[in-house]
Amino acid sequence: MTLAIALARLVALVVLGAIGTKLILARQTKSQWLIVGALVVFAATILQVVLQAELAAGDAGLTLSLLSTFLLKTWGGKIALGRLAIIAALVIAVPRWHAVGLALAGLALLSAPWSGHASTVAPSVVAFTFHALHAAAAAMWIGGVLMLAVPAFMRSEDSSLRSSLAAFSPWAFGFVLIAIAAGIGTAMLQVESWAALFGTFYGQLLLAKIFLLLLPALLLAGWLRQRFLGGVGGEANAKRVLILEALFGLGVMMLGVYLAQTVPGRHDAIDWPFAFRFAPEISWKQEGGMQDILATLVGGGASLILAVILFAKGGPFRQTAAICCAVGVALIAMLAYSVSVPAYPTTFAITSEPYTADVIMRGRQVFRENCVVCHGESGHGDGPGAGVLPIAPADLAAPHTEDHTAGDMFWWISNGMPSGGMPGVGNAITDEDKWALITYIRALSSGYTGRYVPKRVIPRLPWLGAIDFNYQSAAGELMALNDWRERAVVLLVLIRDRAQISRVRELLTLAPDFEKASTQILIVSSEKLGEALGPLPANATVVETDTAAILDAWSLYRRTFWDMDPMDARPAVPYVEFLIDRFGYVRLRGKSDDETLSPANVLLVQAAYLGGEPQLRPPPGEHVH
Amino acid sequence: MAHSKLRSSVPANNSTVAGNFGEARLDFLEPIEAALSYFTLVGTDEAKLLRVEGADACEPKTCKFAVESLKAGTYRIDYHVLSADGHVVEGKIHFRVKADQ
């Protein structure tokens, strides 16, 4: 089905391009071919629309009413209707009014990508412009090449090839430049990362399109332009080159429309094909890393620049230039080696499990069942089985775990780490449980960096993401902590000891002032407090059921510099409160057992500040990575 | 996880909720075409309990529909959405309803 849609699009684009180029060159006005071409485009567009509507219908099956819903109510459908109208007008205009026909063909070409991947990128104007220019310019170029190549192929003698090529060549050059420039734009918008370029089907198709098909087509076109039109080479040779260029060009278009049907790189799961990846930020931090990088970078760069200068001088200097070049390449290769770290197919994989209390607790369960033997109860690499291993198991709470992606950990959990003696679990644990485990490990290490969370908000310095959770509001509505993002600051109170209720009452008396500071008070309690607190103000909620996971997960964020509790002897803090800013970052922590609790009016000032602070960075991801 | 399009949902995938949560909500990464999207609530033994048309439930990026009180058990929301770029995205959200206390 996808293939059929792609083919229909290909035919429409290429024939439209040929029509457009023909009208520009105005060589022969064989009107009946133009009309036939326009009718072919019309038919191809109708076919494409029907096929897409059928796919969209799903299990409902395609009915006439569904088709009309598709055409009239969806973005893709409305664009298709518009294009059909333009092409119908083209059929009428093309035999008589060439200029109008040309404008209509151009419009049809430019509108082709509007219902495709461009419509899902923001800002869409930029995406539409790039995609439209890319498709239109490429279609005009290839359409034109085909228009010249097909007659050359069919007729044994064509002495007008040189003149028709000479007329087409400057236009083709312009189309190619526009197509490449706009193509770079669309590639950046739809792929977004080097990992996606090499690790997704879309990215690999794109690389094949550029290097296996476009490059040869351009080289052939270059030969025709520079050599043949410059007077070198015979007509027969040029004909063969032109046909080859047409074939490669058609291949480029085919991969292009297939790309339009494929999940864009930025949305697809990444299956990394290499055993290493470049991570200068990690190598820089390692011992001697900074010196290695700078030395090879400066040395290699200088050698290459010297090589270019000497080569330009020419003559006897060329030998030295070659040596400099070799030295430069060797140094750059050493640089590449020093910034590369091991990588695995799953290195860039995205977890399916969000950063929530439930997931973290499930991950902790998986950890306790599978990992504590070596990594220890608290994850410090001090388990009973650790002694027999060749190297010590990692201290999972240490900062260096940040240097590895979640995908790296997924690989080690599944396949083990032979050099360290860590066994892999293979399929004994489900993928979702593995991601839950990784989410727990990330939360664990965040808890250690969380020692830095202050008792007074530090302005303009958000960095610790809040742990999401679901709860039921007083009205019975199912809500999530993250629902408050961009709506309110959250004063999150986690209470396990009834004796702390006086503090809660104190905060609640200030609730109207917190409301003015755009702050919600969310109290999560392991005990029933409701009646003791009386009627609650509008911006306060008490959660008393299913709170174990929330309290236990957030207790990972309890560690302070003077109470790091690395052996988890005291995980259940009687009372701790957090201020979470409007974008999901934890900015303040106060505990009842270490005098970090702010006076309530001071807390109010902190909340008011956060209510007015602008967004400084994107909100923390919904998932760990 | 290719082309998942779903940013988050309430109930969340693989979560356990009380039977009276009342309203299901699906948040998508990008705008979807409500007209040709639909959602099915499936209970035990693949019983189709509810089918909601996108036209009744969806704004550009969020779809919400009311769910009557559910008994304890395993449920699933199957979604079929048409995204603005013409791609159809289908997925399943599994969740459990726990027994009343």
Side-chain angles (χ1 to χ4, degrees), chain B residues 25-47:
Chain B
R25 199 177 87 212
L26 285 77
D27 287 299
F28 292 93
L29 287 169
E30 285 164 356
I32 59 162
E33 299 279 6
L36 285 168
S37 306
Y38 56 86
F39 308 88
T40 317
L41 176 65
V42 177
T44 39
D45 299 329
E46 296 295 309

Side-chain angles (χ1 to χ4, degrees), chain A residues 159-390:
Chain A
S159 54
S160 68
L161 188 59
R162 197 180 289 264
S163 50
S164 32
L165 264 181
F168 179 58
S169 181
W171 288 101
F173 188 68
F175 292 145
V176 165
L177 279 182
I178 295 175
I180 291 179
I184 293 175
T186 56
M188 284 170 57
L189 284 172
Q190 298 295 349
V191 177
E192 271 185 7
S193 69
W194 293 106
L197 181 64
F198 291 104
T200 58
F201 184 54
Y202 188 94
Q204 290 153 2
L205 264 183
L206 185 59
L207 289 171
K209 175 180 157 190
I210 295 172
F211 291 104
L212 295 180
L213 294 170
L214 180 65
L215 205 53
L218 288 177
L219 288 172
L220 291 166
W223 184 89
L224 281 172
R225 193 177 152 81
Q226 297 300 114
R227 302 300 216 144
F228 176 61
L229 290 180
V232 180
E235 289 259 347
N237 222 18
K239 233 200 296 184
R240 273 181 236 123
V241 171
L242 181 66
I243 291 169
L244 255 185
E245 182 194 341
L247 285 173
F248 275 111
L250 202 58
V252 170
M253 294 290 288
M254 277 202 273
L255 281 194
V257 291
Y258 197 61
L259 276 168
Q261 297 295 116
T262 307
V263 176
R266 64 194 165 96
H267 279 159
D268 204 358
I270 295 174
D271 188 357
W272 186 247
F274 307 119
F276 65 93
R277 64 183 171 100
F278 294 132
E281 71 282 0
I282 296 174
S283 314
W284 186 270
K285 289 189 300 194
Q286 285 168 353
E287 212 178 301
M290 187 176 79
Q291 290 89 311
D292 280 348
I293 292 176
L294 285 175
T296 46
L297 183 61
V298 170
S303 307
L304 288 174
I305 293 173
L306 193 58
V308 169
I309 295 174
L310 288 174
F311 190 79
K313 278 191 143 171
F317 294 111
R318 294 219 159 157
Q319 226 180 2
T320 327
I323 297 174
C324 281
C325 187
V327 169
V329 168
L331 284 173
I332 298 292
M334 282 171 62
L335 171 69
Y337 180 73
S338 66
V339 299
S340 58
V341 297
Y344 316 94
T346 58
T347 291
F348 296 102
I350 303 173
T351 159
S352 57
E353 305 302 288
Y355 195 61
T356 64
D358 283 339
V359 170
I360 291 172
M361 285 298 107
R362 182 153 52 98
R364 189 177 78 168
Q365 186 61 27
V366 176
F367 183 79
R368 286 181 175 169
E369 286 167 6
N370 293 277
C371 319
V372 296
V373 172
C374 299
H375 286 283
E377 294 275 340
S378 305
H380 298 296
D382 53 355
V388 300
L389 297 171

Side-chain angles (χ1 to χ4, degrees), chain A residues 59 111 219 244 364 384 423 425 497 524 583:
Chain A
D59 62 2
S111 71
L219 288 172
L244 255 185
R364 189 177 78 168
V425 298
D497 182 7
V524 180
F583 308 101

Side-chain angles (χ1 to χ4, degrees), chain A residues 55-59 66 69-70 74-75 115-117 119-120 261 263 266-268 432 472 478 483 546 622, chain B residues 2-3 5 7-8 10 13-14 17 20-21 25 30 33 35-36 38 51 80 82 84-88 98:
Chain A
L55 257 185
D59 62 2
L66 208 138
T69 309
F70 180 75
T74 69
W75 171 251
S115 50
H117 291 149
S119 49
T120 57
Q261 297 295 116
V263 176
R266 64 194 165 96
H267 279 159
D268 204 358
E432 282 160 347
Q472 252 181 335
L478 193 58
D483 286 343
D546 301 318
E622 313 255 331
Chain B
H3 230 180
K5 293 283 192 179
R7 206 188 77 200
S8 62
V10 171
N13 191 25
N14 287 333
V17 294
N20 58 347
F21 64 87
R25 199 177 87 212
E30 285 164 356
E33 299 279 6
L36 285 168
Y38 56 86
R51 180 179 159 118
H80 167 110
L82 178 65
D85 62 3
H87 288 130
V88 168
K98 58 181 181 213

